[in-house]
Amino acid sequence: MPIVTATRRLRFNAAHRIHNPALSDAENTRLFGKCNNPNWHGHNYTLEVSVTGEVDSITGYVMDLGQLRGIVEREVIDQMDHRNLNLEVEILRGINPTAENIVVACWNAIAPHVAPATLSKLRLWETENNYVEYAGH
Amino acid sequence: MPIVTATRRLRFNAAHRIHNPALSDAENTRLFGKCNNPNWHGHNYTLEVSVTGEVDSITGYVMDLGQLRGIVEREVIDQMDHRNLNLEVEILRGINPTAENIVVACWNAIAPHVAPATLSKLRLWETENNYVEYAGH
Amino acid sequence: MPIVTATRRLRFNAAHRIHNPALSDAENTRLFGKCNNPNWHGHNYTLEVSVTGEVDSITGYVMDLGQLRGIVEREVIDQMDHRNLNLEVEILRGINPTAENIVVACWNAIAPHVAPATLSKLRLWETENNYVEYAGH
Amino acid sequence: MPIVTATRRLRFNAAHRIHNPALSDAENTRLFGKCNNPNWHGHNYTLEVSVTGEVDSITGYVMDLGQLRGIVEREVIDQMDHRNLNLEVEILRGINPTAENIVVACWNAIAPHVAPATLSKLRLWETENNYVEYAGH
Amino acid sequence: MPIVTATRRLRFNAAHRIHNPALSDAENTRLFGKCNNPNWHGHNYTLEVSVTGEVDSITGYVMDLGQLRGIVEREVIDQMDHRNLNLEVEILRGINPTAENIVVACWNAIAPHVAPATLSKLRLWETENNYVEYAGH
Amino acid sequence: MPIVTATRRLRFNAAHRIHNPALSDAENTRLFGKCNNPNWHGHNYTLEVSVTGEVDSITGYVMDLGQLRGIVEREVIDQMDHRNLNLEVEILRGINPTAENIVVACWNAIAPHVAPATLSKLRLWETENNYVEYAGH
């Protein structure tokens, strides 16, 4: 059977600041500028979740994308949407919420749940001009 | 001379919560749901600024859009970008930062500065599925 | 209070054909070409629903857009999404489902339900290159 | 019959410079900056053509948008696409090709050809952040 | 010479239903839900066709994208646009038209025709939130 | 540390013609059609610059995308924006400015400047329907 990748896009809106608590305030300001604002800022994030696998001969699907949407909402979106990424999100506890760190945390939360397909890529858009991608290693 | 409308789109990223301090916490939760989260959430906002006027016979412009961009950045974007709309923005002081209230505050800040053109419409996108428009009255 | 227009975008996917049963097959083919295909074709439609009114002094909203979304889903989207617009949709019974006729039918279904705001415009995208707009008269 | 507006989007790619030959080079540079580059620059333009009228009771159309596309291609797109707007375009002869002046020239070329509908608006996107609109007066 | 990938996007609008005729109606409903509607639904599909090869030292092209467009229209778009994907499309005969199965069928139809470039990826968007990708194996 | 790819999108507007001066005019016309217009045409280009590397344990970044933007503006955008790609651009001197040749020239200009990350992909959009990608070999 052919190997196909299927992707579902989901959105969440959240507040954050880029901040490393191990550094001084001056160092945080120097490294992160206005993104370090202690009063927070925020984004409309878009997460593209790609799963890869054989096309199932019965369904014609790699994976039911409605089912994938449910998994991603349960594992990551529901805890991040309309939340503060520094203060309230279990999968980001103790993590500086850069796009890079968010996408890795999402990977770890989603990857165990998509078998028999495999999670092959996550792309996270932070603005319409910036995105990050992670393939699990 | 023909009357033309020219529009410039600008972006800002900000944190906010929908909250009316004159109401109880219970009432705020009932009215605003997850948008009332005390730990904030945020958005990538897009503001479309439309000015209308005669096309200038010398320049062929209603208004130099680079100049318009500078005015909008100075009057509204610079104080909202990477900021908390409830706590830090002079033009929103004491105002519940719904999209409707933000767009009216932007109007009042921008309108005095675009003569001889006139500010004819502001459109503010809060997400890719929601926007508000204001024409000054 | 200022008068603001707030807009919510919703999507539905449907099959249709452009066909006037009062005309002959030859005439339908001549007028509508490949859009008259008796085996149907389909689109991803986007409906933009705009309501206008005073900004409420308590909520800062023209209308809660979550509530508006619920109304539009109940009155029009739920009966059109993943449906055949010629065969299955109550609000289009006996109507040739051109974008123009769909947008008028949606208006009639939505307009009675948005008070105290008023429905001020519907825009229906049939493809990314074609859309129609209706303001109720 | 209800009055509906139908819109078709078309694209063209062209070179131009913003330049008023009645002014000195120094004055052109002062007014238009890098847009006055004598070696030209260019854009992917998008033109949105809106026609308004009664929905025809036979066709369900304000106007056949395939026919509208043909008119717009014949009257304006074919002479501007992959052309130099300062040197080669009949409808822009002697005109400084700002977006404002282009949209007015397009109006004059298209308006006589859409009866019994009426041309109600043109919107011309010069970049994804700038557009102009003209309604014929 | 450098190896570059060039991509052309094309669109088609079609009706379909997700249906496996080897299964009972109850099983089809259970697996495919509203996508199994016997009266069809439809989509605006976008197909991205990527070809990879050395940049030709005479033309500076991997492949003339106008020529690629012609090939893709002839081999797949012309038979799918404004058609029913379950009933009318030769390359989908006997195939349940999921996005996964459509993209594989398109691959098989296009791949033999792009030499000396090679077809390196197809991406098929079914909605703005769902897409599938296939690289030929 | 995980390996992540971060991407920044930048835009420039330029004039060009597709032309190989080693060929006759007739041959240029035959190969390049309207893209060979001696009076130029132009585009709004979008360049997506992707860098890959370990996520820095101090910053949580692969690379500061503001710094990346500065590098790309300095090395390629500033010399191409509002310019003629055949006449005025140092990195394209003597090069037929097809999208393929532009993307390779941009690679060579940007790649030396992003260490310790590595430039992993460039994608250049010439229109919303055409793009090219290069990974450095």
Side-chain angles (χ1 to χ4, degrees):
Chain A
M1 294 301 293
I3 306 295
V4 171
T5 296
T7 299
R8 185 68 167 79
R9 308 181 85 189
L10 297 103
R11 291 166 183 76
F12 62 99
N13 309 320
H16 80 153
R17 68 185 293 213
I18 307 301
H19 184 74
N20 182 339
L23 302 176
S24 68
D25 285 358
E27 194 66 359
N28 271 295
T29 298
R30 190 184 66 79
L31 284 172
F32 303 126
K34 64 184 179 180
C35 299
N36 184 244
N37 179 4
N39 288 315
W40 322 101
H41 66 284
H43 297 291
N44 302 331
Y45 290 91
T46 298
L47 181 65
E48 301 187 24
V49 181
S50 297
V51 294
T52 300
E54 285 194 359
V55 179
D56 184 274
S57 61
I58 303 297
T59 62
Y61 290 154
V62 170
M63 180 175 180
D64 183 310
L65 289 185
Q67 182 190 356
L68 179 60
R69 173 186 171 174
I71 290 166
V72 177
E73 287 177 341
R74 186 188 70 215
E75 300 298 330
V76 303
I77 301 291
D78 288 351
Q79 67 181 288
M80 295 196 292
D81 186 39
H82 283 73
R83 293 292 178 182
N84 185 307
L85 302 181
N86 299 68
L87 301 180
E88 299 182 291
V89 178
E90 189 56 41
I91 63 171
L92 295 172
R93 190 140 325 266
I95 293 174
N96 181 6
T98 61
E100 288 88 334
N101 284 339
I102 299 169
V103 81
V104 172
C106 288
W107 181 281
N108 294 334
I110 298 169
H113 301 285
V114 300
T118 57
L119 188 62
S120 49
K121 190 163 75 172
L122 291 183
R123 179 184 289 162
L124 179 68
W125 294 79
E126 192 174 69
T127 73
E128 69 176 29
N129 289 323
N130 292 347
Y131 62 82
V132 296
E133 295 168 300
Y134 185 53
H137 45 76
Chain B
M1 295 300 295
I3 305 296
V4 171
T5 296
T7 299
R8 185 68 167 77
R9 309 182 84 188
L10 297 102
R11 291 165 183 77
F12 61 98
N13 310 319
H16 79 154
R17 67 183 295 211
I18 306 302
H19 185 73
N20 182 340
L23 303 176
S24 68
D25 284 358
E27 193 67 359
N28 271 296
T29 297
R30 189 184 67 79
L31 284 172
F32 303 126
K34 64 184 178 180
C35 299
N36 184 245
N37 179 4
N39 288 314
W40 323 100
H41 65 285
H43 296 291
N44 302 332
Y45 290 91
T46 298
L47 181 66
E48 300 187 25
V49 182
S50 297
V51 295
T52 300
E54 284 194 0
V55 180
D56 184 274
S57 61
I58 303 297
T59 63
Y61 290 155
V62 169
M63 180 175 180
D64 183 310
L65 289 185
Q67 183 190 354
L68 179 60
R69 173 187 171 173
I71 291 166
V72 177
E73 289 176 340
R74 187 188 70 216
E75 298 297 331
V76 301
I77 300 292
D78 289 350
Q79 66 180 288
M80 294 196 292
D81 186 39
H82 283 73
R83 293 293 180 182
N84 185 306
L85 301 181
N86 299 67
L87 302 179
E88 299 182 290
V89 178
E90 189 56 41
I91 63 171
L92 296 172
R93 193 146 317 272
I95 292 174
N96 182 7
T98 61
E100 287 89 335
N101 284 338
I102 299 169
V103 81
V104 171
C106 288
W107 181 280
N108 294 333
I110 299 169
H113 301 285
V114 299
T118 56
L119 188 61
S120 49
K121 189 162 76 171
L122 291 182
R123 179 184 289 161
L124 179 68
W125 294 79
E126 192 174 70
T127 74
E128 68 176 30
N129 289 324
N130 292 348
Y131 61 83
V132 295
E133 294 167 302
Y134 185 53
H137 43 75
Chain C
M1 294 302 294
I3 305 295
V4 171
T5 295
T7 298
R8 185 67 166 79
R9 308 181 85 191
L10 297 102
R11 291 166 182 75
F12 61 98
N13 310 319
H16 80 153
R17 67 183 296 212
I18 307 301
H19 184 74
N20 181 339
L23 302 176
S24 68
D25 284 358
E27 193 67 358
N28 272 295
T29 298
R30 190 185 66 79
L31 283 172
F32 303 125
K34 64 184 178 179
C35 299
N36 184 244
N37 179 3
N39 288 315
W40 322 99
H41 65 284
H43 296 290
N44 302 331
Y45 291 91
T46 298
L47 181 66
E48 301 187 24
V49 181
S50 298
V51 294
T52 300
E54 284 194 1
V55 180
D56 184 274
S57 61
I58 303 298
T59 63
Y61 290 154
V62 169
M63 179 176 181
D64 183 310
L65 289 184
Q67 182 190 354
L68 178 60
R69 174 188 170 172
I71 291 166
V72 177
E73 287 177 341
R74 186 188 70 214
E75 299 298 329
V76 302
I77 300 292
D78 288 351
Q79 66 180 289
M80 295 195 292
D81 186 39
H82 283 74
R83 293 293 179 182
N84 185 307
L85 302 181
N86 299 68
L87 302 179
E88 299 183 289
V89 179
E90 189 56 40
I91 63 171
L92 295 172
R93 188 135 334 258
I95 293 174
N96 181 7
T98 61
E100 287 90 336
N101 284 338
I102 299 169
V103 81
V104 171
C106 288
W107 181 280
N108 294 333
I110 297 168
H113 301 285
V114 300
T118 57
L119 188 61
S120 50
K121 189 162 78 170
L122 291 182
R123 180 184 289 162
L124 179 68
W125 294 79
E126 193 175 70
T127 72
E128 68 176 31
N129 289 323
N130 293 347
Y131 61 83
V132 296
E133 295 167 301
Y134 185 54
H137 44 76
Chain D
M1 295 301 294
I3 305 294
V4 171
T5 295
T7 299
R8 184 70 167 76
R9 308 181 86 189
L10 297 103
R11 290 165 184 77
F12 61 99
N13 310 319
H16 79 154
R17 67 183 295 211
I18 308 302
H19 184 73
N20 182 341
L23 303 175
S24 68
D25 285 359
E27 193 67 0
N28 271 295
T29 297
R30 190 184 66 80
L31 284 171
F32 303 126
K34 64 184 179 181
C35 298
N36 184 244
N37 179 3
N39 288 315
W40 322 100
H41 65 284
H43 297 291
N44 302 331
Y45 291 92
T46 297
L47 181 66
E48 300 187 25
V49 182
S50 297
V51 295
T52 300
E54 284 194 359
V55 179
D56 184 274
S57 61
I58 303 298
T59 62
Y61 290 154
V62 169
M63 180 175 180
D64 183 310
L65 289 185
Q67 181 190 355
L68 178 60
R69 174 187 171 173
I71 291 166
V72 177
E73 288 177 340
R74 186 188 70 216
E75 299 298 330
V76 302
I77 301 291
D78 288 350
Q79 66 180 289
M80 294 196 292
D81 186 39
H82 282 73
R83 293 293 179 180
N84 185 307
L85 302 181
N86 299 68
L87 302 179
E88 300 182 291
V89 178
E90 190 56 42
I91 63 171
L92 295 171
R93 190 140 326 264
I95 293 173
N96 181 7
T98 61
E100 287 90 335
N101 284 338
I102 299 169
V103 81
V104 171
C106 287
W107 180 281
N108 294 335
I110 298 168
H113 301 284
V114 300
T118 57
L119 188 62
S120 49
K121 190 162 77 171
L122 292 182
R123 179 184 290 162
L124 179 68
W125 294 79
E126 193 175 69
T127 74
E128 68 176 29
N129 289 323
N130 293 346
Y131 61 83
V132 296
E133 295 168 301
Y134 185 54
H137 44 77
Chain E
M1 294 301 294
I3 305 295
V4 171
T5 296
T7 299
R8 185 68 166 79
R9 309 182 85 191
L10 297 102
R11 290 165 184 77
F12 61 98
N13 310 319
H16 80 153
R17 67 184 295 211
I18 307 301
H19 184 74
N20 182 340
L23 302 176
S24 68
D25 284 358
E27 193 66 359
N28 272 296
T29 298
R30 190 184 67 78
L31 284 172
F32 303 126
K34 65 184 178 180
C35 298
N36 184 244
N37 179 3
N39 287 316
W40 322 100
H41 65 284
H43 297 291
N44 302 332
Y45 291 92
T46 297
L47 181 65
E48 300 188 24
V49 182
S50 296
V51 295
T52 301
E54 285 193 0
V55 179
D56 184 274
S57 60
I58 304 297
T59 62
Y61 290 154
V62 170
M63 180 175 180
D64 183 310
L65 289 184
Q67 182 190 354
L68 178 60
R69 173 186 171 173
I71 291 166
V72 177
E73 288 177 340
R74 187 189 70 215
E75 299 298 330
V76 303
I77 300 292
D78 288 350
Q79 65 180 289
M80 295 196 292
D81 186 40
H82 283 73
R83 294 293 179 182
N84 185 307
L85 301 181
N86 298 68
L87 301 179
E88 299 181 291
V89 178
E90 189 57 40
I91 64 171
L92 295 172
R93 189 136 331 261
I95 293 174
N96 181 6
T98 60
E100 287 89 336
N101 283 338
I102 299 169
V103 81
V104 172
C106 288
W107 181 280
N108 294 334
I110 298 168
H113 301 284
V114 299
T118 57
L119 188 62
S120 50
K121 189 162 76 172
L122 291 182
R123 179 184 291 163
L124 180 68
W125 295 78
E126 193 175 69
T127 73
E128 69 175 31
N129 289 324
N130 292 348
Y131 61 82
V132 296
E133 295 168 302
Y134 185 54
H137 43 77
Chain F
M1 294 301 294
I3 306 295
V4 170
T5 296
T7 298
R8 186 69 167 76
R9 309 181 84 190
L10 297 102
R11 291 165 183 76
F12 61 99
N13 310 319
H16 79 154
R17 68 184 294 211
I18 308 301
H19 184 73
N20 181 340
L23 303 177
S24 68
D25 285 359
E27 192 66 0
N28 272 295
T29 298
R30 189 185 66 79
L31 284 172
F32 303 126
K34 64 184 179 180
C35 299
N36 184 243
N37 180 3
N39 287 316
W40 323 100
H41 65 284
H43 297 290
N44 302 332
Y45 290 92
T46 298
L47 181 65
E48 301 187 24
V49 182
S50 297
V51 294
T52 300
E54 284 194 0
V55 179
D56 184 274
S57 61
I58 304 297
T59 62
Y61 290 154
V62 170
M63 180 175 180
D64 183 309
L65 289 185
Q67 182 190 355
L68 178 60
R69 173 187 172 174
I71 291 166
V72 177
E73 288 177 341
R74 186 188 70 216
E75 298 298 331
V76 302
I77 300 292
D78 288 350
Q79 65 181 289
M80 295 196 292
D81 186 39
H82 283 72
R83 293 293 179 182
N84 185 307
L85 302 181
N86 298 68
L87 301 180
E88 299 182 291
V89 178
E90 190 56 41
I91 64 171
L92 295 172
R93 191 141 323 268
I95 292 173
N96 181 7
T98 61
E100 287 90 335
N101 284 338
I102 299 169
V103 81
V104 171
C106 288
W107 181 280
N108 294 334
I110 298 168
H113 302 283
V114 299
T118 57
L119 188 62
S120 50
K121 190 162 75 170
L122 292 182
R123 180 184 289 163
L124 180 68
W125 294 79
E126 194 175 68
T127 73
E128 68 176 30
N129 289 323
N130 292 348
Y131 61 83
V132 295
E133 295 167 302
Y134 185 54
H137 44 77

